């Protein structure tokens, strides 16, 4: 399906467009992996500042790499490690303005300068995280935080994330 995004709009307007598109493309009758794949594809297409976007999904005490857009990345992250593992453990959104200043940051792409990680929590349990990277410092702000929460809520309201088949 073709989705067109107007890159000349403000970030808020682009996110508002994404929300409308997500309401249409996240479909409960589709497979979870298909919905997650379309989710990251839409946001990557929408924002040129995103160098990498993807899901890391919890299994036991680790996160494993899920659907993503961008360069190949680390396949496993232990809870508590890196920005993703810290967000998964604390269930807090983490905005990193400069990855050089985040102790334990895990480098998957040396050109990555800033990052936002949003935990996905279902019934108080961490299901996984959504991770976004940028080649610019301070690329992510409270606007991203607000709208990524909204985008994730479209996923969690329309589909049962716990149907994910790991193997
Ligand atoms: N930088 C992340 C690792 C994942 S990659 O950025 C895709 C972290 O520190 O958890």
């Amino acid at each position: 399906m073709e989705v067109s995004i107007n890159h000349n709009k403000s970030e808020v307007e682009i996110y508002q467009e994404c929300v409308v598109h997500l309401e249409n493309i996240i479909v409960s009758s589709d497979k979870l992996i298909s919905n997650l794949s379309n989710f990251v594809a839409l946001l990557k297409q929408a924002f040129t500042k995103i160098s990498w976007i993807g899901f890391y999904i919890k299994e036991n005490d680790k996160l494993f790499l899920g659907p993503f857009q961008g360069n190949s990345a680390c396949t496993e992250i232990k809870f508590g490690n890196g920005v993703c593992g810290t967000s998964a453990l604390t269930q807090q959104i983490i905005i990193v303005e400069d990855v050089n200043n985040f102790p334990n940051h895990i480098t998957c792409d040396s050109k990555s300068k800033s990052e936002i990680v949003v935990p996905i929590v279902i019934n108080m349990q961490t299901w996984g995280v959504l991770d976004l990277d940028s080649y610019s410092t301070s690329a992510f702000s409270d606007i991203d935080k607000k709208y990524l929460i909204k985008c994730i809520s479209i996923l969690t309201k329309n589909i049962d994330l716990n149907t994910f088949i790991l193997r």
Side-chain angles (χ1 to χ4, degrees), residues 52 56 73-74 77 81-85 104-106 108 115 131 133:
W52 193 93
Y56 278 96
C74 341
I77 297 174
N81 281 6
V83 191
C84 292
N104 295 326
H105 170 261
I106 300 165
C108 293
E115 182 161 357
D131 179 21
D133 291 348

Side-chain angles (χ1 to χ4, degrees), residues 24 26 30 45 97 103 123 129 139-142 157 162-163:
N24 291 320
I26 303 300
D30 281 346
Q45 180 195 350
E97 301 211 356
N123 298 330
V129 302
F140 303 107
S141 69
D142 283 348
K157 127 184 135 186
N162 284 321
T163 60

Side-chain angles (χ1 to χ4, degrees), residues 43-62:
L43 288 171
K44 179 77 165 63
Q45 180 195 350
F47 292 100
T48 50
K49 70 179 183 180
I50 299 174
S51 57
W52 193 93
I53 176 169
F55 292 98
Y56 278 96
I57 302 165
K58 179 182 182 293
E59 186 184 37
N60 302 321
D61 62 344
K62 285 187 197 156

Side-chain angles (χ1 to χ4, degrees), residues 80-98:
N81 281 6
V83 191
C84 292
T86 305
S87 172
L89 186 67
T90 60
Q91 300 188 337
Q92 299 292 313
I93 296 175
I94 303 178
I95 295 178
V96 180
E97 301 211 356
D98 181 345

